[in-house]
């Protein structure tokens, strides 16, 4: 696994992941990680050898919100081996049928829970019906897949950081101050006195902040900003 550890750029890093995946008998691989709490599923960092057509369908239909592999990874750390039984609802069954049509028939998903509250998954997939031979092969390579999952967590940090920074709302220093004091429970009047400005100015900043976060409540913006590490309410 040294190519992963020695990779100097993202392309060579994921190339090493793909090569190891193929060497262990899997045709496709997906890495999907939310770099920090508070981000939407749609904001995940994704690198994959899945077909582009399937990824477009998955995103367009918002399938991450019904995908049982995603639901498993939210609260579990153990591997999830794909089987028709895990796709229990009608929408999930329809999703599975469409996934099979795009070459995703048999696979295993390993949850990712990183040291900085990263959350995601690592999926290894074949375009073949699961057979006894597949299960025996999976049993033999699963320790390697788990080790690869751990290495992925360690070696993606710089890429996850870059991805997260591009998603974060860009706040001015004054907006950060307003959010910090809002998170500490201060009113508009109190913030205006702390920052030596008028209440109208505070309201102006809070309106801009709410727009940037896509919420209607300044309290909601403060909670999200804290989750994303943009402010430290202290």
């Amino acid at each position: 696994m040294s190519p992963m550890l020695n990779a100097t750029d993202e392309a060579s890093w994921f190339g090493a992941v793909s090569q190891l995946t193929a060497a262990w008998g899997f045709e496709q691989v997906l890495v999907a990680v939310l770099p920090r709490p508070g981000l939407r599923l749609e904001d995940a960092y994704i690198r994959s050898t899945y077909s582009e057509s399937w990824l477009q369908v998955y995103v367009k239909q918002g399938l991450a919100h019904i995908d049982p592999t995603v639901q498993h990874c939210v609260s579990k750390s153990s591997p999830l081996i794909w089987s028709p039984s895990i796709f229990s609802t009608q929408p999930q069954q329809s999703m599975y049928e469409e996934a099979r049509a795009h070459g995703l028939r048999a696979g295993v998903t390993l949850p990712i829970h990183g040291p900085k509250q990263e959350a995601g998954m690592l999926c290894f997939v074949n375009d073949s019906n699961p057979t006894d031979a597949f299960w025996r092969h999976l049993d033999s390579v699963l320790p390697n897949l788990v080790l690869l999952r751990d290495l992925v967590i360690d070696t993606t940090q710089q890429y996850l950081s870059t991805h997260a920074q591009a998603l974060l709302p860009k706040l001015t220093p004054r907006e950060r101050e307003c959010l910090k004091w809002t998170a500490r429970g201060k009113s508009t009047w109190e913030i205006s006195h702390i920052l030596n400005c008028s209440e109208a100015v505070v309201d102006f900043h809070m309106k801009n902040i709410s727009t940037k976060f896509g919420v209607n409540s300044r309290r909601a913006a403060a909670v999200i900003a804290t989750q994303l590490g943009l402010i430290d309410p202290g």
Side-chain angles (χ1 to χ4, degrees):
M1 299 188 186
S2 58
M4 278 183 64
L5 298 174
N6 298 326
T8 57
D9 58 72
E10 193 172 15
S12 59
W13 170 81
F14 186 66
V17 173
S18 303
Q19 290 172 9
L20 286 169
T21 297
W24 292 331
F26 294 91
E27 299 162 355
Q28 301 184 65
V29 62
L30 173 136
V31 178
V33 185
L34 285 171
R36 59 184 70 189
L39 294 176
R40 305 172 305 155
L41 292 176
E42 291 80 7
D43 293 330
Y45 168 90
I46 296 176
R47 292 297 178 271
S48 168
T49 58
Y50 289 5
S51 72
E52 189 61 33
S53 59
W54 167 243
L55 291 176
Q56 290 176 355
V57 168
Y58 194 91
V59 171
K60 184 177 181 179
Q61 297 184 12
L63 296 179
H65 295 280
I66 65 166
D67 189 340
T69 64
V70 174
Q71 295 170 2
H72 174 87
C73 292
V74 169
S75 59
K76 307 290 185 182
S77 296
S78 57
L80 177 66
I81 299 172
W82 296 12
S83 67
S85 63
I86 70 172
F87 300 88
S88 56
T89 68
Q90 183 58 51
Q92 289 173 343
Q93 291 169 6
S94 297
M95 185 194 82
Y96 185 47
E97 286 302 313
E98 188 148 15
R100 286 161 58 91
H102 286 84
L104 291 82
R105 294 176 179 269
V108 57
T109 294
L110 304 183
I112 287 176
H113 299 287
K116 299 178 181 178
Q117 295 186 286
E118 305 92 339
M121 62 171 62
L122 181 59
C123 299
F124 305 92
V125 189
N126 278 334
D127 184 18
S128 59
N129 290 316
T131 62
D132 289 343
F134 173 80
W135 304 129
R136 289 194 298 271
H137 173 70
L138 183 56
D139 284 341
S140 68
V141 300
L142 191 55
N144 286 337
L145 302 183
V146 171
L147 176 58
L148 179 57
R149 186 265 310 274
D150 294 342
L151 282 175
V152 163
I153 293 173
D154 288 344
T155 56
T156 53
Q157 291 300 315
Q158 60 180 316
Y159 312 128
L160 293 178
S161 178
T162 300
H163 180 77
Q165 288 301 317
L167 294 171
L168 297 180
K170 302 300 186 288
L171 300 176
T172 67
R174 188 62 96 178
E175 287 171 348
R176 288 179 185 273
E177 286 289 313
C178 288
L179 265 181
K180 181 185 71 174
W181 291 112
T182 297
R184 294 181 181 181
K186 301 299 184 182
S187 67
T188 298
W189 181 85
E190 290 172 316
I191 295 173
S192 70
H193 280 71
I194 292 170
L195 300 183
N196 193 28
C197 64
S198 69
E199 292 183 58
V201 169
V202 174
D203 286 335
F204 171 79
H205 288 310
M206 294 309 304
K207 182 178 179 180
N208 287 341
I209 289 167
S210 296
T211 299
K212 290 180 179 181
F213 282 94
V215 296
N216 295 322
S217 163
R218 64 177 65 184
R219 300 290 183 186
V223 170
I224 295 172
T226 301
Q227 291 176 333
L228 295 175
L230 293 174
I231 62 170
D232 179 8

